[in-house]
Amino acid sequence: MTDFREKMVDDLIQSDTLIGMNTEQVVELLGKPKSENKTELNYLIREKYGTDIDPEYISNLIIEFDKEGQVRNCRIEK
């Protein structure tokens, strides 16, 4: 499941599908983000746990907005 999600995010970034969308359009397409502020939406892609309670690996999709409120950049943050 998580590998599929990561591949979908890669395709989403490479295709520039989100570029030019506003916050409402992104949320309609992707659902509620993990966190948000005026300039970014943050979506959890993958969180991997080992034997500890702290995750060994986390990756997030970060969607950045310009001053007009439109998506200007998307990136994966690990």
Side-chain angles (χ1 to χ4, degrees), residues 7-29:
K7 289 177 185 176
M8 287 175 51
V9 171
D10 286 340
D11 289 343
L12 189 65
I13 291 171
Q14 290 175 8
S15 68
D16 287 338
T17 300
L18 300 176
I19 302 299
M21 288 186 171
N22 63 34
T23 303
E24 185 177 290
Q25 292 168 318
V26 173
V27 172
E28 186 175 315
L29 181 66

Side-chain angles (χ1 to χ4, degrees), residues 33-55:
K34 179 176 100 172
S35 64
E36 64 184 293
N37 60 45
K38 289 184 178 184
T39 60
E40 288 185 353
L41 296 179
N42 183 337
Y43 287 89
L44 177 65
I45 300 170
R46 185 173 189 182
E47 191 169 39
K48 181 180 174 187
Y49 289 90
T51 57
D52 196 347
I53 62 170
D54 295 323

Side-chain angles (χ1 to χ4, degrees), residues 5-6 9-10 13 34-37 39-48 55-64 72-78:
R5 181 179 285 182
E6 287 179 331
V9 171
D10 286 340
I13 291 171
K34 179 176 100 172
S35 64
E36 64 184 293
N37 60 45
T39 60
E40 288 185 353
L41 296 179
N42 183 337
Y43 287 89
L44 177 65
I45 300 170
R46 185 173 189 182
E47 191 169 39
K48 181 180 174 187
E56 293 177 346
Y57 174 84
I58 298 175
S59 63
N60 293 290
L61 170 63
I62 308 298
I63 301 171
E64 301 171 348
R72 68 175 172 94
N73 187 38
C74 302
R75 61 184 162 82
I76 295 175
E77 188 175 273
K78 297 179 182 183

